[in-house]
């Protein structure tokens, strides 16, 4: 006969919760900065027929909610952007490529922020 026992691990996260609450404004600022880098990279990668699409991307960066920022296009280039991203034969993927850049840079930026604060 075997007896199974549950192992209970209790972790006090008060310090971590406080740190995250204290860091929230700095994390939000870092998120905005990284989002702007992604938008600028997307604009750099966007096709340049008239420049309207490329010019509309960095101007579109906006805060969705605390800690969440986004970018796309502003004004009329929205439909054109979708065609260029997914349907055009060049398949430039300016948004997808810029998102990959952010996915690499953002965690490192937050890690560095926490390390600076922990000193």
């Amino acid at each position: 006969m075997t007896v199974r026992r549950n192992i209970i691990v209790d972790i006090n996260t008060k310090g971590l919760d406080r740190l995250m609450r204290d860091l929230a404004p700095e994390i939000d600022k870092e998120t905005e900065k990284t989002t702007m880098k992604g938008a600028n990279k997307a604009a750099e990668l966007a096709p340049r027929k008239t420049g309207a699409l490329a010019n509309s991307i960095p101007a579109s960066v906006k805060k969705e909610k605390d800690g969440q920022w986004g970018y796309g296009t502003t004004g009329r280039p929205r439909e054109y952007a979708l065609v260029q991203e997914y349907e055009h034969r060049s398949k430039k993927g300016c948004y997808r490529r810029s998102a990959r850049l952010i996915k690499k840079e953002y965690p490192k930026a937050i890690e560095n922020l926490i390390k600076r604060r922990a000193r």
Side-chain angles (χ1 to χ4, degrees):
M1 181 167 105
T2 60
V3 178
R4 293 184 181 208
R5 294 178 189 227
N6 290 335
I7 298 172
I8 298 171
V9 178
D10 188 19
I11 300 172
N12 184 345
T13 61
K14 284 183 184 177
L16 182 59
D17 292 342
R18 188 179 70 242
L19 176 66
M20 292 308 292
R21 192 173 45 254
D22 291 348
L23 282 176
E26 293 174 64
I27 289 173
D28 191 54
K29 187 178 276 188
E30 194 62 47
T31 304
E32 178 187 16
K33 191 166 97 176
T34 304
T35 303
M36 186 54 86
K37 280 184 187 177
N40 287 333
K41 185 65 173 176
E44 181 183 307
L45 295 169
R48 296 279 178 181
K49 188 173 185 178
T50 65
L53 174 60
N55 293 337
S56 73
I57 297 170
S60 72
V61 173
K62 69 176 190 173
K63 186 174 188 168
E64 303 293 333
K65 60 183 181 181
D66 285 342
Q68 186 178 47
W69 290 76
Y71 62 95
T73 59
T74 57
R76 300 191 67 180
R78 184 168 288 135
E79 294 79 19
Y80 177 66
L82 291 172
V83 170
Q84 285 296 323
E85 184 76 11
Y86 297 106
E87 297 175 11
H88 192 267
R89 68 174 182 238
S90 68
K91 302 251 189 276
K92 278 204 168 250
C94 58
Y95 290 108
R96 290 171 288 169
R97 289 168 63 193
S98 68
R100 282 194 296 270
L101 170 77
I102 288 175
K103 281 186 176 184
K104 288 180 183 176
E105 286 189 8
Y106 184 69
K108 291 177 186 173
I110 298 302
E111 181 181 339
N112 290 336
L113 176 68
I114 293 169
K115 282 180 182 176
R116 281 193 312 268
R117 189 50 115 62
R119 291 182 191 157

